[in-house]
Amino acid sequence: MQIRRQGAVGDISGVPFLMGVLGGSFWLRYGLLKMDYTMIIVNVVGVSFMAFYCVFFLVYSLPKGVVLKNREVSTLPLPMCVANFLVSSQWCLYGNLVADIYIIIPNGIGMFLAIVQLSLFVVLPIRENEKSPLEKLANWFTGRSKLEKKEKDLEGGECSTTPPPSPQKVANSIDDDEESEINERFEKLMAETSSTSDSRRGSGDFMGRPPSYKSRSSSV
């Protein structure tokens, strides 16, 4: 479905389809040797589907890249990896039930390889320039994700939600030198105001006082 939507195989690997055909064929041959109808029926269906997938892949085939080179798992089909793990584990269980070591060993190896593939989805990011689920989990535990969110908010120009400081805190922030300087200026201003008022009061008394006639008579 993914190949059909994008019109090409892109970076999707065709190895799982080829291995499905080869593995199913070998298991079908083994089932025929033992005349185990459970293995025969299942692998006939599996080989048929895988052969169809290979033909479909060849039709849409184009040059591709690799997962470890790009350091991301967008090219790795997760549903097929999960199905591979489930199928291998079920066949391994079936081998234990029938006590057949030739079924247990190869499917045990396939189950291990499927676990390795699934672990890549935890260690590597899904797409380039993204974080892997393991890294996101580590950031969540350490609280780093919240810090990065705040940094992004600041870079985006969002307003800070911190309330403005109270007048009391602003007043307390003035140091002793500034406070003494303000007091000196206030006292100087009060002194100048007081001297100005005294001079105005003296000139008013002089202008308002009548002239002395005694001085006139003496002069006459």
Side-chain angles (χ1 to χ4, degrees):
M1 292 296 294
Q2 183 179 353
I3 293 173
R4 186 175 181 181
R5 279 197 302 266
Q6 63 190 14
V9 296
D11 294 332
I12 298 176
S13 176
V15 174
F17 305 108
L18 182 61
M19 294 304 296
V21 173
L22 294 177
S25 300
F26 290 143
W27 283 119
L28 178 60
R29 175 62 176 167
Y30 183 75
L32 291 172
L33 291 174
K34 287 190 63 176
M35 292 306 295
D36 189 332
Y37 292 101
T38 301
M39 296 189 67
I40 293 173
I41 295 173
V42 171
N43 285 289
V44 165
V45 176
V47 170
S48 301
F49 274 105
M50 286 296 176
F52 172 77
Y53 291 155
C54 287
V55 174
F56 187 84
F57 186 88
L58 290 175
V59 173
Y60 287 90
S61 180
L62 287 175
K64 49 196 172 296
V66 293
V67 173
L68 297 179
K69 181 180 179 180
N70 298 331
R71 303 290 297 176
E72 45 92 11
V73 292
S74 61
T75 60
L76 196 63
L78 179 60
M80 182 172 290
C81 295
V82 174
N84 186 23
F85 171 74
L86 294 176
V87 171
S88 298
S89 60
Q90 289 173 358
W91 276 117
C92 188
L93 177 62
Y94 178 77
N96 283 304
L97 292 176
V98 297
D100 193 333
I101 193 173
Y102 295 104
I103 300 178
I104 296 173
I105 292 177
N107 284 287
I109 296 173
M111 186 171 62
F112 172 75
L113 294 177
I115 293 174
V116 173
Q117 286 182 330
L118 293 175
S119 66
L120 294 176
F121 287 91
V122 179
V123 178
L124 299 178
I126 298 177
R127 284 175 292 273
E128 193 175 359
N129 298 326
E130 289 188 0
K131 293 182 179 180
S132 65
L134 184 62
E135 188 176 0
K136 290 180 180 178
L137 184 62
N139 291 341
W140 182 80
F141 271 110
T142 57
R144 190 175 178 182
S145 57
K146 295 182 180 179
L147 181 61
E148 291 179 352
K149 184 178 183 300
K150 289 182 179 179
E151 292 178 354
K152 289 182 180 179
D153 293 341
L154 292 175
E155 291 177 358
E158 295 187 1
C159 296
S160 177
T161 58
T162 306
S166 62
Q168 184 178 2
K169 290 183 178 180
V170 174
N172 293 334
S173 64
I174 302 176
D175 56 6
D176 296 337
D177 295 336
E178 293 179 354
E179 186 176 358
S180 61
E181 185 178 355
I182 292 173
N183 291 333
E184 290 178 0
R185 289 182 180 179
F186 180 73
E187 292 176 358
K188 185 178 181 181
L189 180 61
M190 292 299 293
E192 291 177 357
T193 305
S194 176
S195 61
T196 303
S197 62
D198 292 342
S199 63
R200 287 181 179 178
R201 190 182 303 110
S203 61
D205 293 342
F206 174 78
M207 294 299 294
R209 185 180 304 159
S212 175
Y213 292 98
K214 185 178 180 181
S215 61
R216 271 189 178 181
S217 59
S218 63
S219 63
V220 172

